[in-house]
Amino acid sequence: MSEPKRDLVESPEEAAATGTLAARISLSQRAGGVAVPVATIVLAFLIGGLVVLATGHNPLDTYRDVFNGAGLNWFFHPTTSTQGAAAYNLSQTLLQSTTLILTGLAVAFAFRCGMFNIGGQGQYFVGLVVANWLGVSFADMSLLPHALITIVGATLAGAAWAGIAGVLKATTGAHEVISTIMLNWIAFYMASWLFGDGGPLQTSDPTRQTVPISNDVARSAQLPVIWGTHGFQGLDIGFLIAIAALVVFWALINRTTLGFEVRAVGFNPDAAAYGGINVKKNLIRAMTISGAFAGLAGALDMVGYLYHYGQLDVQVSQVGFIGIAVALLGRNTAVGTFLGAVLFGGLLYGTTQGLSSNVIQPELATNLTYIIQGLVVLFIGADLLILYVWNSRRRLRPRRAARAPVKAAA
Amino acid sequence: MSDELVLEMRGIRKEFPGVVANDDVSIQLRRGEVHALLGENGAGKSTLMNILYGLYRPDAGEIRLNGKPVSFASASDAIEAGIGMVHQHFMLIPVMTVAENVVLGTEPVKDGVLLDEASAERRVAEMAKTFNFAVEPGALVQDIGVGQQQRVEIMKALYRNADILILDEPTAVLTPQEAQDLFEILRTLRREGISIIFISHKLKEVLEIADRITVLRRGKTIETVPREGATEESLARAMVGREVLLRVEKQAADTGEVLLEVEDLHVTDDRGIEKVRGVSFQVRAGEIVGIAGVDGNGQTELIEALTGLRRAERGLIRVGGRELHHPSTREALDAGLGHIPEDRQRRGLVLEFSLAENIALHDYATLPDSKWGWLFPGRLVERAKRLIQEFDVRGGGPFTPAGALSGGNQQKLVAAREISRDPQALIAAQPTRGLDVGAIEYLHRRLVTERDEGRAILLVSLELDEILSLSDRILVIYEGEIVGEHGGDVSEEQIGFEMVGVAREVPA
């Protein structure tokens, strides 16, 4: 008889009773492989579909149009010229995904160190603001250095902003969820004021003196476009930078001593300290790196395709929060974050594009994304529910799950 | 004890995916007996009891209660039938009183809706008196000690009219004195006709309290024997299936230079209370120095200060002649200090990490594990393979998460990591807590081997047996001070007195 093994996920109640939020979520994420995120998505889409149904439309039509609106039909008609609508839509989906990859990584990295970074939105604003300021200044520089300075400056600013929460946690024990939420509001009002009427970053164009929108960043700071047309929101090389960020994330976590420390602290700070790892240093460092990802998101949006930003944009932006759903759904891994970002990028763009009032109530269109996002976070946050379903499925069919870990036999 | 059978479990079989946890297990419980269920971790004790308590359904076999066949669909069925279970982890509500916890779920009610507090307290007080529980019904559970909390759990079962009581490893959380108090209570219960199933893997206490002993091994009943005639050796053999060396064989210590030295160390705990008060001692190469004491007398703080996990108020630590002032964990490691921590799951291992990563927990940042911050996972795996083989860690390979191993193998993994770093001094805190006989035997032998290799070994343990059988010198710690120092041949009685603060000579 093989030695009975202890099962990590067998007693969720016990673990949840003692563990932190991060421990609970990492617990739920170990259960059931990819089945749980897939089930989460399916369930979220089903309930989203019910909402559509309640408004008197056929959810299948809606989802088909969202799919096409996101440009995903391009994969079935790739020979259509790049000027085609599908190609344009797909490029827009990828543009949204660029942001979400990075705001997702901002959440995922902190998570791997056992912290819940809710502050991606604020860190993103800080990145946007600094990128706009640097991109508008130094207008006479040449392209590469100017874009580089802008991106690096905004990334560092995002890192520093998140670092505040890290320092507070390491020194005073202030919970990062509370401090990052507060930092979000500070960044929100700061950006509102900076871009607002009379604010320091408001446009200098004398004909638009009362418009609460910033100047465009200089041409020398604008990133080259790789798919589509510059000036028409073509897909810029920011997308490739986001892909590179995924690789950096993966390598940092899995192939460096820094990642080793981050993961050790994330799983078990007591054991990490015993191992000789400086836990406080890692909390600060992980939070800072998290913020760098979100700051980079703001920078790439600014120099990639937005070029300017306004007070109203500040009020409606949600990308930092969607990043939470992206990371949770992607189980805080690089590949998962990419898939989650493309999914939500497609939803964000697909629901605004080409949905006729025949298939969905216009008021519902954009909000469908947020409903699904909310459901995803809710389901993953309600890990106990999912674990319960998962475990009772196993209890009901014990013999079939021959490869599953075994409840300790004594 | 009468010969009347209150419970009979016959031919019980329970299979989990890949494991037969119970295979044709039978046990008979007489009225008013303490019946020990003895077996190593994983032998199937808990499964059998969970079946009895209605938590699992058996795949085969029958349960007879007072001669009548029964089948429980849930724990409430079992409670209804007069079966009570006290788990290792208590299920009490800390902010409620003893009486409230006892009556919870079946509260006496007045005026239709209100909890009749006075009646609850009165009934609980009566029960406490009948069974000599010495528990204050009005006290808050959070204010009473672990031993008393356990009594509250027993009272909960009795309050629901249990006449069969299952105790799952009840002494695991108790000090030796509390264990004695528990045994006294069990004897009282036995006199009152209550039948007790006592789950344990500790041979000594089984021989002390049980009337009859059923031994399980790998899911099978090996034998049921009366206490009379059973010995530790015979029980160990039945449990493990082979001869076990309970005595640790070792030569006289051949000591060398002082490798670990502590001078006038003062350490406070998190609440600012001084827990270590001026401790000084030396450990030489080639000797095992044991620190005996009741839990909570400063052992934890002493170890934490030595290993850099806690900052000492003052005092001096020398490892291999090197002075350490308020060392960080890293500095203590670099000075040549190895540490098998008292809680392997909380401190010693990252359970989610693979075996390879756990083995690298101290050295991941240096060659050959990494260079300039870049990890070489292949090298981690190579080293893990070697150590897994050398230390006979079973149940997984380099990529297996440490949490999937059994307790004994987890501890071997910790020992493998600490010893393979070739420390000058090794601190072993509770190295065999919760382990079964086979793993204990292995770790004890290993500690003696490492002693003979010329390491200085500091053994801190709450198990007096362990201290006595391994140590070349014994220090007794009481309220943060060393109150006695002895050779390895001191009597258990002498140390027992010093451990509770009675400094008196036992006449030889």
Side-chain angles (χ1 to χ4, degrees):
Chain A
M1 190 183 85
S2 68
E3 184 150 64
K5 290 176 181 176
R6 286 185 59 256
D7 189 347
L8 289 171
V9 299
E10 195 55 54
S11 60
E13 300 84 4
E14 196 180 323
T18 55
T20 60
L21 179 66
R24 279 178 52 182
I25 291 182
S26 89
L27 180 87
S28 88
Q29 296 197 332
R30 281 200 302 278
V34 293
V36 170
V38 169
T40 304
I41 277 294
V42 170
L43 207 56
F45 272 84
L46 276 178
I47 296 179
L50 286 180
V51 176
V52 175
L53 200 62
T55 59
H57 296 282
N58 181 350
L60 291 178
D61 290 343
T62 310
Y63 285 136
R64 189 199 60 228
D65 280 20
V66 171
F67 185 86
N68 290 339
L72 293 169
N73 54 347
W74 181 82
F75 290 102
F76 302 103
H77 314 280
T79 50
T80 318
S81 85
T82 48
Q83 302 298 319
Y88 179 76
N89 288 340
L90 184 60
S91 75
Q92 296 309 298
T93 288
L94 294 181
L95 211 48
Q96 299 283 350
S97 305
T98 301
T99 319
L100 295 181
I101 285 171
L102 292 165
T103 54
L105 289 180
V107 178
F109 198 87
F111 242 121
R112 296 302 280 270
C113 199
M115 289 180 290
F116 202 172
N117 176 16
I118 310 277
Q121 189 68 43
Q123 295 142 23
Y124 171 81
F125 282 145
V126 169
L128 276 175
V129 164
V130 172
N132 184 261
W133 171 55
L134 291 173
V136 171
S137 320
F138 316 117
D140 47 356
M141 280 182 88
S142 48
L143 171 65
L144 191 64
H146 193 188
L148 206 62
I149 285 175
T150 306
I151 292 172
V152 169
T155 304
L156 292 178
W161 195 250
I164 296 171
V167 169
L168 286 177
K169 181 167 179 99
T171 54
T172 71
H175 202 287
E176 75 279 1
V177 168
I178 306 295
S179 51
T180 53
I181 288 176
M182 291 305 140
L183 285 165
N184 275 349
W185 286 112
I186 297 171
F188 175 92
Y189 285 112
M190 210 166 62
S192 276
W193 164 67
L194 287 167
F195 295 130
D197 197 4
L201 291 181
Q202 196 211 355
T203 178
S204 51
D205 183 347
T207 64
R208 302 203 296 168
Q209 262 178 9
T210 56
V211 184
I213 285 181
S214 74
N215 278 319
D216 275 13
V217 295
R219 184 69 179 83
S220 57
Q222 297 176 9
L223 293 179
V225 164
I226 51 172
W227 197 21
T229 315
H230 187 96
F232 290 93
Q233 275 196 209
L235 183 66
D236 59 271
I237 59 167
F239 178 67
L240 300 182
I241 297 175
I243 299 292
L246 285 166
V247 176
V248 167
F249 174 93
W250 179 87
L252 264 183
I253 288 289
N254 296 303
R255 284 290 181 275
T256 67
T257 54
L258 185 152
F260 187 93
E261 294 187 5
V262 161
R263 286 183 293 131
V265 172
F267 284 132
N268 184 344
D270 288 327
Y274 157 81
I277 293 168
N278 185 333
V279 173
K280 291 183 173 180
K281 183 179 102 183
N282 272 281
L283 293 178
I284 297 172
R285 194 168 60 183
M287 211 59 193
T288 307
I289 292 173
S290 267
F293 284 119
L296 179 61
L300 292 182
D301 277 4
M302 183 55 72
V303 299
Y305 73 103
L306 293 175
Y307 307 143
H308 57 80
Y309 214 65
Q311 200 176 39
L312 284 174
D313 301 321
V314 173
Q315 282 163 14
V316 299
S317 175
Q318 290 282 334
V319 291
F321 296 117
I322 298 177
I324 297 169
V326 167
L328 288 178
L329 200 57
R331 305 200 145 197
N332 307 312
T333 64
V335 173
T337 300
F338 174 76
L339 294 175
V342 172
L343 177 85
F344 277 104
L347 265 173
L348 265 185
Y349 189 72
T351 48
T352 56
Q353 195 60 25
L355 285 189
S356 80
S357 55
N358 294 330
V359 297
I360 192 167
Q361 235 176 2
E363 297 78 24
L364 182 60
T366 335
N367 292 323
L368 186 61
T369 308
Y370 297 122
I371 290 173
I372 289 174
Q373 172 223 344
L375 287 167
V376 164
V377 174
L378 183 70
F379 291 152
I380 295 185
D383 55 336
L384 286 184
L385 179 74
I386 290 176
L387 274 177
Y388 178 79
V389 174
W390 180 253
N391 285 333
S392 56
R393 181 203 64 92
R394 240 199 288 175
R395 267 198 293 276
L396 292 172
R397 296 183 300 166
R399 276 158 214 284
R400 285 191 52 193
R403 287 183 309 123
V406 175
K407 172 107 179 172
Chain B
M1 182 176 72
S2 68
D3 283 347
E4 179 196 348
L5 287 185
V6 289
L7 170 76
E8 193 175 6
M9 295 179 82
R10 239 194 332 222
I12 300 291
R13 181 181 175 85
K14 179 70 187 172
E15 221 176 303
F16 292 106
V19 179
V20 183
N22 281 166
D23 183 8
D24 193 17
V25 175
S26 298
I27 183 171
Q28 293 178 332
L29 185 66
R30 295 174 185 160
R31 179 167 309 283
E33 75 164 339
V34 176
H35 193 126
L37 196 54
L38 185 67
E40 294 198 289
N41 296 327
K45 305 178 301 253
S46 297
T47 305
L48 186 67
M49 288 304 107
N50 284 333
I51 287 172
L52 177 58
Y53 199 53
L55 298 175
Y56 297 152
R57 275 170 176 280
D59 298 334
E62 69 168 348
I63 305 174
R64 281 171 176 273
L65 208 57
N66 298 315
K68 287 192 277 292
V70 289
S71 155
F72 301 140
S74 70
S76 41
D77 287 0
I79 293 169
E80 187 76 14
I83 297 172
M85 185 158 178
V86 176
H87 295 271
Q88 256 185 70
H89 302 284
F90 304 148
M91 296 162 186
L92 298 172
I93 301 173
V95 295
M96 287 169 60
T97 66
V98 169
E100 286 168 338
N101 268 285
V102 170
V103 301
L104 194 70
T106 46
E107 303 90 346
V109 168
K110 66 178 176 194
D111 301 338
V113 286
L114 296 175
L115 170 65
D116 188 350
E117 197 116 5
S119 149
E121 285 200 13
R122 199 176 55 245
R123 285 203 232 170
V124 171
E126 273 166 26
M127 191 160 67
K129 193 151 166 274
T130 317
F131 297 108
N132 267 329
F133 275 134
V135 177
E136 176 57 51
L140 293 183
V141 164
Q142 64 191 4
D143 296 336
I144 62 179
V146 172
Q148 295 210 326
Q149 292 184 3
Q150 190 174 55
R151 278 174 236 170
V152 177
E153 283 283 7
I154 296 175
M155 285 164 80
K156 265 169 69 178
L158 296 177
Y159 188 80
R160 286 157 184 73
N161 298 317
D163 48 17
I164 295 174
L165 200 57
I166 307 168
L167 302 174
D168 189 4
E169 308 251 356
T171 58
V173 291
L174 301 182
T175 65
Q177 188 52 47
E178 285 174 327
Q180 284 308 319
D181 294 345
L182 172 69
F183 292 165
E184 210 39 63
I185 286 173
L186 296 186
R187 290 187 189 106
T188 311
L189 292 174
R190 179 166 61 186
R191 272 199 301 277
E192 299 290 331
I194 308 259
S195 312
I196 296 161
I197 298 179
F198 184 95
I199 304 177
S200 180
H201 61 249
K202 291 186 190 163
L203 304 168
K204 253 197 169 160
E205 63 182 34
V206 162
L207 285 171
E208 184 175 349
I209 188 68
D211 300 305
R212 293 193 302 154
I213 302 154
T214 294
V215 181
L216 294 189
R217 185 172 79 227
R218 298 189 173 186
K220 290 195 166 78
T221 319
I222 301 304
E223 60 185 11
T224 298
V225 294
R227 173 184 42 190
E228 293 77 27
T231 63
E232 286 190 50
E233 284 74 17
S234 71
L235 292 177
R237 195 166 49 234
M239 254 169 90
V240 182
R242 61 179 166 82
E243 288 294 335
V244 180
L245 282 178
L246 293 172
R247 304 267 171 280
V248 184
E249 289 192 355
K250 56 173 186 162
Q251 311 287 317
D254 177 18
T255 58
E257 56 182 321
V258 174
L259 289 183
L260 175 64
E261 191 175 8
V262 175
E263 248 180 64
D264 193 31
L265 194 69
H266 292 258
V267 190
T268 56
D269 69 5
D270 292 336
R271 292 174 298 170
I273 297 165
E274 189 170 45
K275 297 291 276 192
V276 176
R277 304 189 295 179
V279 164
S280 305
F281 61 84
Q282 297 181 335
V283 187
R284 294 176 172 276
E287 70 169 345
I288 298 179
V289 172
I291 294 190
V294 177
D295 195 13
N297 275 281
Q299 296 97 321
T300 304
E301 289 77 11
L302 171 65
I303 297 166
E304 286 180 349
L306 288 178
T307 54
L309 289 164
R310 181 179 291 275
R311 194 184 155 90
E313 293 301 303
R314 62 196 152 92
L316 192 63
I317 300 164
R318 276 197 205 92
V319 178
R322 207 157 123 193
E323 278 190 22
L324 298 175
H325 296 277
H326 304 303
S328 67
T329 319
R330 175 56 53 196
E331 283 161 354
L333 287 167
D334 290 347
L337 203 61
H339 176 200
I340 299 175
E342 60 182 344
D343 190 337
R344 59 183 164 269
Q345 303 208 341
R346 187 174 77 91
R347 274 251 191 255
L349 296 170
V350 180
L351 295 179
E352 296 85 350
F353 266 15
S354 68
L355 302 196
E357 286 171 317
N358 270 298
I359 284 173
L361 195 58
H362 296 314
D363 296 324
Y364 64 92
T366 51
L367 276 170
D369 289 7
S370 66
K371 193 173 183 185
W372 296 323
W374 190 257
L375 273 183
F376 302 109
R379 296 181 189 172
L380 268 55
V381 170
E382 279 312 307
R383 179 152 46 115
K385 275 186 188 155
R386 215 178 60 232
L387 290 178
I388 286 170
Q389 180 144 36
E390 189 188 330
F391 284 78
D392 192 29
V393 179
R394 293 182 199 181
F399 299 102
T400 311
L405 297 185
S406 68
N409 284 302
Q410 287 180 349
Q411 194 69 325
K412 283 185 194 171
L413 182 68
V414 173
R417 177 183 63 215
E418 298 306 313
I419 292 170
S420 71
R421 301 186 75 243
D422 193 20
Q424 302 207 45
L426 179 64
I427 298 176
Q430 302 266 61
T432 59
R433 180 161 76 175
L435 303 189
D436 52 45
V437 178
I440 292 174
E441 184 192 18
Y442 178 90
L443 280 154
H444 282 175
R445 273 212 314 260
R446 189 82 205 196
L447 286 177
V448 173
T449 311
E450 295 308 315
R451 176 199 79 159
D452 295 342
E453 294 278 313
R455 301 191 206 285
I457 296 181
L458 183 68
L459 171 71
V460 182
S461 177
L462 304 179
E463 304 277 351
L464 204 43
D465 286 345
E466 181 165 80
I467 296 272
L468 286 166
S469 64
L470 283 177
S471 307
D472 302 305
R473 278 194 299 133
I474 297 171
L475 308 173
V476 183
I477 192 168
Y478 174 70
E479 295 199 336
E481 292 177 57
I482 302 292
V483 295
E485 176 167 358
H486 307 276
D489 51 358
V490 65
S491 76
E492 186 169 346
E493 211 182 351
Q494 174 68 39
I495 292 194
F497 278 127
E498 291 177 356
M499 276 167 67
V500 293
V502 187
R504 105 167 102 144
E505 287 295 320
V506 177

